[in-house]
Amino acid sequence: MNNRMNKHAKRAQPPLTKVQARVLDFIRDELRSTGRSPSLSEIQAEFGYGSPHTARFHVNNLVENGYLLRQAGHRGLQLAESPGLRLLGTVAAGAPIEAIEDHSDVVDLKGFSDDNHFALRVCGESMIEEAIADGDLVVVRKQTTCDDGDLVVARIGDEATLKRFYRERKKSRVRLQPANSGMEPIYCRVEDLTIEGVVVGVIRLMGS
């Protein structure tokens, strides 16, 4: 019986590479904005690939790893079903606050894997000029690296904050930039900072 249960247990999804994450985000955006998946040629054009074979390679990996479902037709891609994301707690859009983890709530979102994403509730208004308000939920892709300009959840010691990430190499420090002209950036050394993930979506519940 145990062998049979193990055989049918859901395989954990492997982490996305940056390229795979961008392809998946593009497919997700197209599905939500147009109601249909992009063709391989459209994926090729979006990312400047020299051949649709490269687009097919990335799509095949996303299907094989459980992020996409393939149906008949050249626009037959669908997002894999997801049981929802864990709402891990609160992140500061302001001064860093103590990281609060509460695994009891689940946000019902299709197309995001709980293995590779999580959700946080925003506290504060430091990102208000990017239309991220107090009480909004942010969907965060789990990763420990980021690029300049990424909107990240960064941990400084035991505190977490939501900011744009910029390296200031001449000063050997990181600038965490708010999107609120009335607030100052946060500066810290690279070694004092941990990237918990990159924001890939914002959700505002009706009545919030």
Side-chain angles (χ1 to χ4, degrees):
M1 181 175 179
N2 288 338
N3 289 338
R4 184 164 62 251
M5 290 177 64
N6 290 337
K7 179 180 178 181
H8 294 284
K10 182 181 177 182
R11 180 170 61 92
Q13 291 171 304
L16 290 168
T17 66
K18 284 188 176 182
V19 172
Q20 289 171 346
R22 288 169 181 154
V23 172
L24 182 60
D25 286 345
F26 174 64
I27 294 170
R28 181 185 293 116
D29 289 344
E30 287 295 299
L31 283 166
R32 290 177 176 172
S33 62
T34 69
R36 64 179 188 175
S37 67
S39 66
L40 292 177
S41 295
E42 288 169 343
I43 296 172
Q44 174 193 357
E46 173 70 16
F47 295 100
Y49 298 143
S51 163
H53 296 299
T54 304
R56 181 180 291 109
F57 171 79
H58 293 307
V59 167
N60 286 345
N61 279 336
L62 290 168
V63 171
E64 181 179 345
N65 292 330
Y67 291 96
L68 293 175
L69 300 176
R70 196 196 312 270
Q71 299 176 349
H74 76 296
R75 295 184 183 273
L77 297 175
Q78 295 293 328
L79 299 175
E81 296 291 332
S82 171
L85 299 185
R86 292 291 175 185
L87 180 59
L88 292 189
T90 304
V91 65
I97 61 173
E98 183 178 356
I100 303 170
E101 293 196 357
D102 178 1
H103 298 262
S104 60
D105 291 333
V106 174
V107 182
D108 185 14
L109 290 177
K110 294 181 179 180
F112 292 99
S113 164
D114 196 38
D115 293 330
N116 293 285
H117 298 81
F118 59 91
L120 291 169
R121 190 176 302 280
V122 176
C123 177
E125 296 190 343
S126 72
M127 301 306 296
I128 194 65
E129 290 169 12
E130 292 193 18
I132 301 175
D134 183 64
D136 287 351
L137 301 180
V138 289
V139 179
V140 184
R141 183 172 60 235
K142 300 175 186 176
Q143 58 187 75
T144 57
T145 61
C146 65
D147 296 324
D148 275 7
D150 280 348
L151 181 58
V152 303
V153 174
R155 188 185 293 265
I156 306 170
D158 293 329
E159 299 179 327
T161 190
L162 177 70
K163 298 288 185 294
R164 290 280 174 192
F165 175 95
Y166 295 97
R167 294 176 181 86
E168 295 190 348
R169 292 178 174 83
K170 290 184 178 180
K171 297 183 179 180
S172 300
R173 67 182 184 183
V174 167
R175 183 176 89 251
L176 299 175
Q177 182 69 42
N180 185 325
S181 55
M183 294 185 176
E184 296 295 325
I186 297 170
Y187 297 97
C188 66
R189 299 181 303 172
V190 175
E191 56 266 30
D192 294 333
L193 183 76
T194 301
I195 300 299
E196 298 291 345
V198 173
V199 174
V200 295
V202 180
I203 304 165
R204 180 164 300 157
L205 302 178
M206 295 300 294
S208 297

